[in-house]
Amino acid sequence: MRNTLKSVILLAPGLGWLALFMVIPCALIFTYAFFERGVYGGIDYIFTVENFQRAADPLYLGIFLRSAKIAGLATLFAILLAYPAAYAITRAPQRYQTALLIFVILPFWSNYLIRTYAWIVMLNREGLINQSLVGLGVTSEPLPLLYNNFAVIVGLVYNYTPFVVLAIYSSLNRINRETIEASEDLGAPGFTTFRRVILPQTITGVAAGGVFVFVLSIGNFITPDLLGGGRLQMVGNLIYDQFLSARDWPFGAALSMFLIAVMMALLFTQAVLTNRAAGEGRAS
Amino acid sequence: MTTSDAPRRTFAHLTASTACALALLAGAAHADKIVISNWDGYMPPDLLEKFTAETGIEAELSVHATNEEIMGKVVAGGGKGYDVLFVSSPFAEALHNLGLVADIDHTKVPNVANLYPEATELAHDPGNAYSMPYAWGTTGLCYRADRMEEPTSWMDLLAPADDLKGKVTMLSTDRWLMGAAALALGKSLNDTSTGTLTEEEELLIKAKKDLLAYDDSTFYLKLVSGEATMVQAWDGWCNYGIAENAEIKYTIPKEGSDLWVDTIVITKASENKDAAMKFVDYVLGQDTGVWVASNILYKTPNKAAMEALDPALIESFPNMGMKPEELIKYEQLRDLGKGQKEFARTVTQIMAAQ
Amino acid sequence: MKMGAGLKLHLVLFYAFLYVPILVLMALSFNRAGLPTVWTGFSLEWYGKLFTADPIIKAARNTLIVAVVSTVLATVIGTALAVGVETRRKSSALDAVLFAPMIIPDIVLAIALLSFYSFLNVTLGLHSIILSHVVFNIAFVVAVVRTRMRNFDHSILEASADLGASEFTTFRRVLLPAIAPGVIAGALLSFTLSVDEFIIAFFTAGPGSSSTTLPMQIYAMIRFGVTPEINAMATIVMLVSFTLVLVAQRADKEVFTR
């Protein structure tokens, strides 16, 4: 009885908030997917499944796959950068850790747009990076670092890696020192200790961070627009265009429903794999 | 006084003071106040203060970044809370068709007499029944005269010469992106027939290979820095480049341009329509028009203002001197109505092409 | 806890990666002309302009209010939610609901919320932005706190109860300190997301400058070029925050020690 009451107190505010401010409003929008677009952009309440048929076009699938590829690469690089950084912070003296963490996130209290402009300054043909590369003799010609996939990935990794650091730090800290020491005492080389003791215990943090980057990247529209020179159409731009430029809410709603379904499937696969990996660590 | 009286008295006091406060607030709410949504920096910064000083009507400014966003907000929210909106003409037309804007009573906006006659016969709203034009202009080619010959055709942008490959940009806003192709092919800007859209799509996908980028906001900077040699640009924006580097010039290709118009509308949801109309009237005054032209380097359809302009301005920025008779020759963008869906799909196809 | 040389180097390089673009944008705040990507000479005029740029300062203040309030709300509600979810049996339906705010495209959420508020005839203002920001902030806080609870040894809660502590005391003095790093990380994440969020803020804001946030103001400036005033503002925010953290660090070591 007490447990149920406790559960209710803990869960009710959050679930209530989400029900009221997410589930209900979004459900209303998703019903639009079953109606037609009005001539001037409103809704004509005529039932149709045409929007779902249109959404099943390979054009949109192609956009999604390309976005997923870019988001996936950004996620990979973000994790590779963030893990050692988070680990290093947990190894720093206790009293500096929160400050170090805040310093990681501080740059992101400036504005997304001006950070993106800063990258344009650094990446363009006469920008800082090319000037250094040519000046140091590493390359003879400036490299095309801007208005392409590379620039978009750099932008995404830059803006979202700190979130991964926070997620991994959160799971890292609690690692039972004893299990690490035990592993080392038993003669396991460093990497084995990492792979079979530390990593499994932090896999949920890595997974959470990875989800953050992937989800935020796939919905991003500013970075492909400015750093990608608009040459890449990502899912974020696509959904935006339907709601704002085309003013085709029914179609936008249908596309969003497909997107959410696919993302949910991906997330659940990830959750299953993560639990298995975490379980393995604990079992051994 | 017994102890049980105290809570009752306190309660009575509380109720009385609350009632008074509410009455005061209600009274205050009736003072005339209007909310305007506009692009940032598109109006004189002291316009609202001067307007309030002159009419006693309070005015608050809300900013929007693009037409599409303010459209989305007004359609989703019914326009509640806004009185005056600055939007481009095809959007004003759509808002009107959706029943979201009010008619403008010309007797309450006498400064409409300041407008050029051509500006009262605009394609989307002849007679200015529900919108008043604020600024207008063309879309053409902005280029570095010290690095290339004057371009003569839209095809110079869409199929650039070898030394221009990778040094040109196009606008990313759908209507103008497609507009370049439409003009090059001799089609109407508002034509959404399948044949036309397919031709435009082919042309633009081919053109994409030689583009540096699609750019809506920093294209003139690319000219200044030398990253680009020729860009598709709105004439006013090209002037910002010209202001930085006198080698930059603007030209309209032989196939022509579009005439874009930024307009002012009043929302149907407005509870202060008279006050809103006073504001529109104020904006159409000569002084505002002169500020608009001199500061943001855009042409305004305000005859009184344009004739009062400093000739030196027109010398530095030749496209400011275009006459309404020339401008009105160009086709104006209209809301695409039923053709919007196919049009949107074509644009997605182009933007997603690898 | 010692840190190997390789690890230290990685951390230093990592901070360099994070801060070089910031140094670039700080440098641009001294750019003579108002061009965001071309250098034309040194000038302090943008700092001067900033102090008279009322809309920017007002917007910054609004952004701070929205970020702080929505972070506090999301952290409290989200932490409770995370604890509640992790201390009961797994439910995919619950997990799906908790993931959803992250996955739903922000434009969809923005339009859905505005339509919803409009339907209920709610007056919009900063409060409507806050209500909306809490939605996605909760999802991120929950995700981060849950990772903390995964490695959590539930037996110490039982031990605490066995020793006679009340539910609340157990929560306050055993559970909370143990998950604190997760809660702090979640709060930082939530604050950062809120400070930079544009589309939901734009759609759910009330009309007028009293509900305009900094991202809304900055994006609206894009038509006439983002001027170095914004860089000046960002520079000041960076320097002030940096200084605050250093000062707090020195002044109260207790706060940062666990």
Side-chain angles (χ1 to χ4, degrees):
Chain A
M1 205 47 60
R2 255 175 112 207
N3 263 338
T4 321
L5 181 62
K6 189 177 79 157
S7 239
V8 167
I9 294 179
L10 290 174
L11 296 177
L15 291 181
W17 199 289
L18 290 178
L20 186 60
F21 293 111
M22 179 189 71
V23 176
I24 297 179
C26 290
L28 290 174
I29 295 290
F30 291 147
T31 59
Y32 290 162
F34 295 94
F35 297 116
E36 285 186 17
R37 176 188 187 270
V39 180
Y40 300 108
I43 311 277
D44 270 349
Y45 290 98
I46 305 170
F47 183 83
T48 175
V49 290
E50 189 212 352
N51 294 307
F52 295 100
Q53 290 167 332
R54 277 172 65 203
D57 189 313
L59 169 65
Y60 306 113
L61 181 63
I63 293 176
F64 176 76
L65 288 175
R66 247 171 280 125
S67 307
K69 189 184 87 168
I70 298 208
L73 284 172
T75 304
L76 179 65
F77 290 126
I79 293 178
L80 289 175
L81 277 180
Y83 201 109
Y87 190 64
I89 295 180
T90 60
R91 304 278 273 181
Q94 205 84 306
R95 62 185 181 282
Y96 294 144
Q97 285 185 24
T98 308
L100 282 175
L101 216 54
I102 297 184
F103 286 144
V104 167
I105 204 97
L106 199 61
F108 304 90
W109 294 348
S110 59
N111 178 266
Y112 199 99
L113 198 59
I114 51 177
R115 287 199 298 278
T116 306
Y117 280 138
W119 273 104
I120 293 180
V121 169
M122 294 199 301
L123 290 173
N124 74 40
R125 295 193 98 239
E126 282 92 41
L128 297 172
I129 295 186
N130 267 322
Q131 278 182 19
S132 331
L133 287 177
V134 172
L136 290 173
V138 176
T139 54
S140 52
E141 279 267 322
L143 298 172
L145 299 173
L146 194 53
Y147 310 131
N148 52 25
N149 287 10
F150 173 76
V152 175
I153 294 178
V154 168
L156 293 172
V157 168
Y158 180 73
N159 280 294
Y160 297 134
T161 298
F163 297 166
V164 186
V165 172
L166 289 175
I168 296 180
Y169 172 85
S170 174
S171 69
L172 249 179
N173 219 290
R174 201 51 183 170
I175 298 294
N176 195 335
R177 296 283 161 222
E178 289 166 14
T179 59
I180 301 180
E181 281 161 24
S183 173
E184 285 167 351
D185 286 345
L186 287 170
F191 187 66
T192 310
T193 304
F194 175 75
R195 188 170 64 88
R196 303 199 65 190
V197 178
I198 299 175
L199 188 56
Q201 291 184 60
T202 57
I203 202 82
T204 45
V206 172
V211 166
F212 292 165
V213 184
F214 191 81
V215 164
L216 290 171
S217 296
I218 231 177
N220 195 309
F221 66 99
I222 307 252
T223 301
D225 224 33
L226 291 180
L227 287 175
R231 308 179 66 106
L232 272 86
Q233 184 84 325
M234 305 228 333
V235 166
N237 311 82
L238 177 65
I239 308 266
Y240 245 82
D241 285 347
Q242 300 318 311
F243 278 100
L244 297 185
S245 304
R247 279 176 283 127
D248 192 352
W249 293 15
F251 186 54
L255 276 178
S256 301
M257 287 168 80
F258 270 125
L259 176 68
I260 292 173
V262 171
M263 296 292 286
M264 281 289 183
L266 285 177
L267 280 175
F268 274 109
T269 316
Q270 170 269 118
V272 165
L273 291 174
T274 307
N275 284 333
R276 207 177 293 166
E280 265 170 24
R282 256 186 242 124
S284 51
Chain B
M1 181 177 69
T2 64
T3 42
S4 62
D5 275 352
R8 218 179 296 153
R9 271 161 143 251
T10 319
F11 183 71
H13 280 164
L14 262 173
T15 324
S17 20
T18 315
C20 278
L22 282 175
L24 272 173
L25 275 174
H30 283 309
D32 265 353
K33 179 167 187 265
I34 55 168
V35 175
I36 303 148
S37 190
N38 199 351
W39 286 276
D40 185 73
Y42 209 31
M43 295 189 306
D46 58 353
L47 180 75
L48 296 186
E49 283 165 30
K50 297 217 305 238
F51 173 69
T52 306
E54 203 176 287
T55 61
I57 301 171
E58 271 183 63
E60 242 205 298
L61 178 66
S62 223
V63 288
H64 59 256
T66 61
N67 280 307
E68 290 80 2
E69 277 152 19
I70 190 64
M71 271 299 280
K73 188 160 184 192
V74 169
V75 172
K80 274 181 269 197
Y82 289 104
D83 299 282
V84 177
L85 304 171
F86 284 71
V87 289
S88 304
S89 52
F91 297 92
E93 187 181 353
L95 283 172
H96 170 72
N97 288 323
L98 288 169
L100 291 168
V101 295
D103 284 344
I104 298 182
D105 183 353
H106 286 212
T107 61
K108 303 211 169 111
V109 185
N111 275 333
V112 70
N114 280 345
L115 294 174
Y116 285 109
E118 289 86 347
T120 60
E121 288 301 314
L122 294 169
H124 76 284
D125 183 18
N128 303 106
Y130 61 86
S131 69
M132 290 289 168
Y134 178 70
W136 62 0
T138 56
T139 317
L141 296 172
C142 194
Y143 65 100
R144 289 284 295 260
D146 56 336
R147 294 191 177 182
M148 63 178 283
E149 295 288 309
E150 178 176 351
T152 52
S153 160
W154 282 105
M155 290 310 286
D156 290 338
L157 178 75
L158 296 169
D162 282 337
D163 57 339
L164 286 176
K165 290 194 187 189
K167 293 192 151 265
V168 298
T169 73
M170 290 186 72
L171 295 172
S172 59
T173 312
D174 54 4
R175 299 303 300 273
W176 285 287
L177 170 65
M178 297 282 275
L183 288 164
L185 293 168
K187 310 278 186 181
S188 158
L189 297 167
N190 300 305
D191 179 355
T192 53
S193 60
T194 315
T196 305
L197 288 180
T198 314
E199 280 183 63
E200 289 169 1
E201 183 186 324
E202 273 176 39
L203 187 54
L204 288 168
I205 291 183
K206 253 200 271 161
K208 192 175 179 181
K209 279 195 248 70
D210 299 319
L211 273 187
L212 173 63
Y214 292 110
D215 189 340
D216 252 13
S217 49
T218 58
F219 46 85
Y220 68 99
L221 292 175
K222 292 190 170 73
L223 281 182
V224 172
S225 70
E227 260 180 285
T229 309
M230 173 168 63
V231 301
Q232 179 187 16
W234 296 290
D235 51 16
W237 286 77
C238 189
N239 289 336
Y240 303 148
I242 296 175
E244 293 296 327
N245 183 336
E247 295 295 342
I248 294 178
K249 302 218 185 312
Y250 178 80
T251 182
I252 295 181
K254 63 178 193 263
E255 298 95 345
S257 158
D258 67 291
L259 171 60
W260 56 263
V261 187
D262 283 340
T263 68
I264 320 173
V265 295
I266 298 180
T267 60
K268 215 171 226 157
S270 166
E271 293 176 0
N272 296 305
K273 293 199 182 61
D274 281 348
M277 281 188 244
K278 280 217 184 78
F279 178 75
V280 174
D281 186 56
Y282 192 80
V283 168
L284 290 178
Q286 180 182 12
D287 289 341
T288 312
V290 170
W291 183 94
V292 167
S294 325
N295 280 277
I296 60 178
L297 303 179
Y298 274 70
K299 290 183 280 300
T300 166
N302 190 321
K303 180 163 187 238
M306 292 305 277
E307 287 175 352
L309 268 191
D310 181 2
L313 197 67
I314 301 182
E315 256 196 72
S316 315
F317 306 107
N319 64 57
M320 296 286 287
M322 287 183 74
K323 297 268 169 272
E325 310 87 77
E326 293 174 61
L327 291 173
I328 207 73
K329 284 185 311 190
Y330 298 125
E331 191 183 5
Q332 292 165 44
L333 293 172
R334 303 291 302 275
D335 181 85
L336 294 174
K338 284 214 176 72
Q340 181 73 54
K341 291 200 285 200
E342 267 310 300
F343 183 85
R345 191 181 187 287
T346 308
V347 174
T348 303
Q349 203 83 316
I350 297 167
M351 297 307 257
Q354 295 288 284
Chain C
M1 239 29 79
K2 267 216 312 253
M3 225 202 289
L7 216 49
K8 219 176 213 166
L9 182 64
H10 180 98
L11 193 60
V12 167
L13 289 178
F14 184 65
Y15 279 116
F17 171 61
L18 293 182
Y19 281 91
V20 165
I22 301 297
L23 293 176
V24 170
L25 81 81
M26 285 187 181
L28 286 175
S29 69
F30 299 107
N31 198 359
R32 187 174 49 78
L35 308 177
T37 55
V38 180
W39 179 261
T40 47
F42 186 91
S43 162
L44 284 173
E45 75 173 282
W46 304 105
Y47 285 91
K49 279 215 176 124
L50 183 62
F51 289 105
T52 55
D54 201 44
I56 295 182
I57 297 192
K58 219 173 171 182
R61 194 206 62 174
N62 288 341
T63 301
L64 199 61
I65 294 175
V66 169
V68 168
V69 177
S70 66
T71 296
V72 167
L73 285 172
T75 307
V76 169
I77 296 176
T79 304
L81 201 46
V83 171
V85 166
E86 285 292 315
T87 53
R88 48 176 291 137
R89 69 172 189 288
K90 287 184 58 56
S91 157
S92 304
L94 208 46
D95 284 347
V97 171
L98 295 175
F99 271 135
M102 287 192 259
I103 308 179
I104 298 179
D106 50 7
I107 182 67
V108 174
L109 202 51
I111 290 192
L113 282 168
L114 177 56
S115 307
F116 186 59
Y117 294 147
S118 178
F119 177 67
L120 295 178
N121 242 313
V122 171
T123 3
L124 301 175
L126 275 186
H127 56 277
S128 40
I129 308 180
I130 293 175
L131 291 176
S132 317
H133 272 198
V134 171
V135 174
F136 62 78
N137 284 341
I138 287 181
F140 285 90
V141 171
V142 166
V144 172
V145 175
R146 280 179 79 177
T147 70
R148 188 95 184 136
M149 295 212 55
R150 280 300 161 83
N151 298 320
F152 186 69
D153 187 359
H154 291 232
S155 61
I156 65 172
L157 292 179
E158 287 160 21
S160 167
D162 286 346
L163 288 168
S166 71
E167 279 277 9
F168 187 63
T169 310
T170 304
F171 181 81
R172 192 168 64 88
R173 303 198 65 190
V174 180
L175 183 59
L176 219 43
I179 60 172
V183 174
I184 293 175
L188 284 176
L189 193 52
S190 165
F191 184 80
T192 309
L193 286 170
S194 194
V195 152
D196 236 348
E197 203 284 323
F198 165 65
I199 200 71
I200 295 180
F202 177 77
F203 274 83
T204 58
S209 55
S210 49
S211 318
T212 304
T213 62
L214 201 55
M216 286 164 65
Q217 184 69 36
I218 294 177
Y219 283 64
M221 290 169 72
I222 206 172
R223 179 163 175 157
F224 296 104
V226 175
T227 58
E229 270 159 278
I230 303 298
N231 296 58
M233 153 133 288
T235 304
I236 292 178
V237 167
M238 294 287 109
L239 292 176
V240 167
S241 314
F242 209 85
T243 315
L244 280 177
V245 175
L246 286 178
V247 165
Q249 176 75 343
R250 214 156 281 214
D252 191 357
K253 293 214 173 70
E254 287 304 300
V255 178
F256 292 101
T257 316
R258 257 169 297 100

